Amino acid sequence: MPELPEVEVSRLGISPHIEGRTIKSVKVHDKRLRWPVPETVHQVEGHVLRSVSRRSKYLLLQTDNGCLILHLGMSGKLRVVPAETMHYKHDHIDIEFDNGQTLRLNDPRRFGALLYSGGDVSGHELLSQLGPEPLTDAFNIDYLFERSRGRSQSVKTFLMDNKVVVGVGNIYANEALFKAGINPKRSAGKISKARYQKLVPIIKETLASAIELGGTTLKDFTQVDGNPGYFAQKLQVYGRGGKLCMVCSNRLKEVRLGQRSTVYCTQCQR
């Protein structure tokens, strides 16, 4: 599943090509996505796309007549192509603009979504209960420490709770906890403020680094087979269960927490 850095780079990649353009049409080739695509998405037709923003993993395409809420699901990819570009299998949505360009959603597993909000999009049921963005000042040491008090769940599942903080998905939770030297199985409520003081900036740095790395792929969003997947990066623990730790050469352990693969070093993360 694309995580926050991949979604943010998608936003950066498509925005220059579609912001300020008039939406000519929304063509739904297959409405059977995570939720059926509603007829209301057509209400943005004929209106200027004012901005493309992101909230958690949702892309928000704002017009004067409402907002399209776009989610990539587990396998969704976006690209900007000329409207006459041949369709490929699993090309489900075309948002056509007055300059002849089309924002196209390809989603093989159909866990993505395209929805419409006619009012204040921040109050939409999918967005209203979300925690702060991890790269903003609202996500800070005091906040995370206070939210953790009394929580018996593992610190990894705590970080992946979108009501606590958005966008810290499985890959980046694994990596940040390793860098901070925190055992992912420890109860969130039993971790000291000093350790959260170390963890918070590491989470920010890990996500920011992935976004910066993804910046080299922005041109791919205008190619027929474009859109990057996970950015090539040196992952220290994720996907490396059973291999040797890059720091201490101890063999990495893999367990499941919250139905997700979790890899850590029993020596470096205590």
Side-chain angles (χ1 to χ4, degrees):
M1 176 185 292
E3 296 197 26
L4 185 147
E6 288 76 30
V7 178
E8 177 63 12
V9 169
S10 294
R11 185 190 72 79
L12 294 170
I14 66 175
S15 295
H17 306 285
I18 61 177
E19 281 186 338
R21 309 304 314 191
T22 298
I23 297 175
K24 184 178 177 182
S25 66
V26 179
K27 295 183 177 179
V28 181
H29 305 294
D30 191 340
K31 67 179 182 180
R32 298 172 300 165
L33 299 182
R34 183 173 183 178
W35 302 286
V37 179
E39 289 297 319
T40 49
V41 298
H42 297 290
Q43 293 193 36
V44 300
E45 294 174 347
H47 294 271
V48 174
L49 178 60
R50 299 297 181 185
S51 66
V52 181
S53 59
R54 178 191 54 76
R55 183 70 173 104
S56 184
K57 298 180 187 179
Y58 296 96
L59 291 174
L60 308 178
L61 282 62
Q62 184 68 55
T63 75
D64 293 333
N65 196 44
C67 183
L68 294 178
I69 303 172
L70 180 61
H71 195 283
L72 298 179
M74 299 185 72
S75 60
K77 297 179 181 179
L78 292 172
R79 61 190 190 275
V80 178
V81 296
E84 65 273 14
T85 301
M86 179 181 70
H87 283 82
Y88 287 84
K89 188 177 181 180
H90 308 305
D91 283 343
H92 300 315
I93 305 288
D94 280 353
I95 302 175
E96 295 187 3
F97 295 87
D98 60 347
N99 61 351
Q101 296 295 299
T102 292
L103 177 64
R104 184 165 290 171
L105 171 67
N106 181 282
D107 186 6
R109 300 186 68 179
R110 295 210 302 265
F111 278 102
L114 182 69
L115 302 170
Y116 171 81
S117 173
D120 179 4
V121 70
S122 65
H124 191 278
E125 61 181 342
L126 293 174
L127 308 179
S128 61
Q129 300 300 313
L130 294 176
E133 292 285 333
L135 297 178
T136 64
D137 291 341
F139 179 64
N140 56 55
I141 297 156
D142 290 336
Y143 166 80
L144 193 62
F145 178 71
E146 290 302 321
R147 286 298 303 265
S148 72
R149 297 306 87 187
R151 301 290 285 264
S152 60
Q153 69 185 122
S154 72
V155 65
K156 180 168 177 275
T157 57
F158 172 68
L159 292 176
M160 292 179 63
D161 183 347
N162 280 328
K163 291 182 179 179
V164 175
V165 56
V166 301
V168 185
N170 196 37
I171 291 176
Y172 301 108
N174 272 279
E175 294 297 304
L177 288 167
F178 174 75
K179 293 174 187 176
I182 298 173
N183 188 313
K185 298 192 298 181
R186 286 199 64 191
S187 296
K190 293 183 178 180
I191 293 175
S192 69
K193 189 171 186 178
R195 303 202 81 181
Y196 279 119
Q197 192 166 9
K198 184 176 182 181
L199 178 61
V200 168
I202 286 175
I203 290 172
K204 291 175 180 283
E205 290 164 10
T206 301
L207 292 171
S209 176
I211 292 169
E212 183 178 3
L213 190 61
T216 62
T217 68
L218 293 184
K219 61 182 176 61
D220 294 341
F221 288 91
T222 57
Q223 305 299 318
V224 172
D225 59 350
N227 193 63
Y230 292 111
F231 311 134
Q233 52 189 302
K234 190 80 168 182
L235 297 176
Q236 294 180 286
V237 287
Y238 180 81
R240 299 190 67 245
K243 296 182 179 180
L244 299 183
C245 175
M246 295 179 179
V247 174
C248 72
S249 297
N250 182 51
R251 198 165 296 279
L252 297 174
K253 186 173 183 179
E254 182 169 4
V255 297
R256 299 201 59 92
L257 292 174
Q259 288 76 55
R260 304 300 297 275
S261 173
T262 302
V263 181
Y264 68 103
C265 177
T266 56
Q267 295 298 318
C268 295
Q269 295 169 264
R270 294 184 179 274

